[in-house]
Amino acid sequence: MQSVIDIQWWQLAAFSLTLIIPFYINFHYQLGFAKETMVGLGRMTLQLIMIGLYLEFLFQLNNFMVNLSWLIIMVGVGTSAIVSKTKLPLKPLFFPVAMSLAAGLFPLLVVLAMAVIKPQPYYHAQYTIPLAGMLLGNSLTSNIVCLQSFFSSLKERWPEYQAALSLGASPIDATRPFVQHSLQHALTPMLATMATTGLVTIPGMMTGQILGGASPMVAIKYQLMIMIAIFVMMSISTTLCLFLVIRRTLSNDGKPQVAIA
């Protein structure tokens, strides 16, 4: 197998000229995405270059406390993104959401590092940081979808919820149908992805491994590992997130304690 082939900056710049096509479509149909696209491309380029430089430094340093601090920052940023996208109050819900992400992420990273991949040292940044990024990235979407679905269905079916409370149900029991609906809504896309992976799509991690020179069978094993880990992480984080957020937003008698979007 060949080692990874480097791409020259001028080649990347030349390839970026293909952006003329989506810009033309935007102009022709007057979609109004030109400014947003330019800002997004600029931010993406700057952020990726900065994170690339930082990760090179992080990989060379490879310090346990630095790696742990970076993982905590990733969880914190991810928590802020989830709460802001669902338009819920950040201050009262930051800790419950952060705890749900951490509870799904850190045990899985420990298992992967110490029992499956076994890098030396076990906290090697080359493995822990990218794995954490993939796990968190997929879990952000599922948590956002889950919370949005829960609170929108709760508002739409508020009389049904109040009726359950009046019959003596606890807030946890009264919200159970909404939790069930929200979890199904959040996890269904991942189930569809798993069902079509390898047949319809070749996932990013497997593609990256192959382009990096790994054997296709090695790439497949890594892809299976990360897909299982993502599904487990999504299941843990979304379920725990809903449970903790419900405990935080609804009082013992079922009344809202914070503003619900």
Side-chain angles (χ1 to χ4, degrees), residues 197-220:
T197 295
L199 183 63
V200 178
T201 61
I202 298 180
M205 186 176 190
M206 182 176 171
T207 302
Q209 290 265 347
I210 293 172
L211 291 176
S215 161
M217 291 309 297
V218 172
I220 286 170

Side-chain angles (χ1 to χ4, degrees), residues 24 30 46 70 165 169 192 229 247:
Y24 171 76
Q30 298 181 342
L46 181 61
W70 183 248
L165 290 176
R247 292 287 296 266

Side-chain angles (χ1 to χ4, degrees), residues 28 68 83 85 116 175 186 193 227 230 246:
H28 183 74
L68 180 61
V83 178
K85 287 294 184 182
V116 182
T175 55
T193 299
M227 292 293 283
I230 287 172
I246 290 170

Side-chain angles (χ1 to χ4, degrees), residues 102-125:
L105 176 65
F106 288 106
L108 276 174
L109 282 181
V110 171
V111 172
L112 289 173
M114 302 190 73
V116 182
I117 304 175
K118 299 180 182 179
Q120 295 297 327
Y122 66 88
Y123 54 83
H124 204 300

Side-chain angles (χ1 to χ4, degrees), residues 43-77:
R43 288 188 58 178
M44 177 184 68
T45 302
L46 181 61
Q47 288 167 181
L48 284 175
I49 291 174
M50 290 179 65
I51 196 64
L53 293 172
Y54 180 73
L55 286 178
E56 285 191 350
F57 165 76
L58 201 66
F59 290 174
Q60 291 175 3
L61 185 62
N62 207 26
N63 179 272
F64 175 78
M65 291 307 300
V66 173
N67 293 353
L68 180 61
S69 299
W70 183 248
L71 292 175
I72 293 173
I73 291 172
M74 291 171 69
V75 170
V77 173

Side-chain angles (χ1 to χ4, degrees), residues 70-142:
W70 183 248
L71 292 175
I72 293 173
I73 291 172
M74 291 171 69
V75 170
V77 173
T79 299
S80 299
I82 290 172
V83 178
S84 64
K85 287 294 184 182
T86 51
K87 298 180 181 180
L88 295 169
L90 178 62
K91 188 175 181 180
L93 296 184
F94 183 89
F95 183 73
V97 176
M99 284 297 297
S100 67
L101 290 179
L105 176 65
F106 288 106
L108 276 174
L109 282 181
V110 171
V111 172
L112 289 173
M114 302 190 73
V116 182
I117 304 175
K118 299 180 182 179
Q120 295 297 327
Y122 66 88
Y123 54 83
H124 204 300
Q126 183 180 350
Y127 292 90
T128 56
I129 302 302
L131 286 172
M134 282 185 282
L135 293 173
L136 281 172
N138 286 272
S139 295
L140 293 191
T141 303
S142 65

Side-chain angles (χ1 to χ4, degrees), residues 149-150 153-154 157 160-161 164 169-184 242 246:
S149 176
F150 173 77
S153 61
L154 182 62
R157 299 161 58 187
E160 180 182 333
Y161 167 71
S170 67
I172 295 295
D173 291 332
T175 55
R176 186 178 180 87
F178 311 114
V179 170
Q180 182 184 43
H181 170 76
S182 302
L183 288 174
Q184 289 173 337
L242 269 182
I246 290 170

Side-chain angles (χ1 to χ4, degrees), residues 230-247:
I230 287 172
F231 186 63
V232 173
M233 166 83 178
M234 289 171 61
S235 300
I236 293 172
S237 63
T238 51
T239 305
L240 186 58
C241 181
L242 269 182
F243 176 78
L244 294 177
V245 167
I246 290 170
R247 292 287 296 266

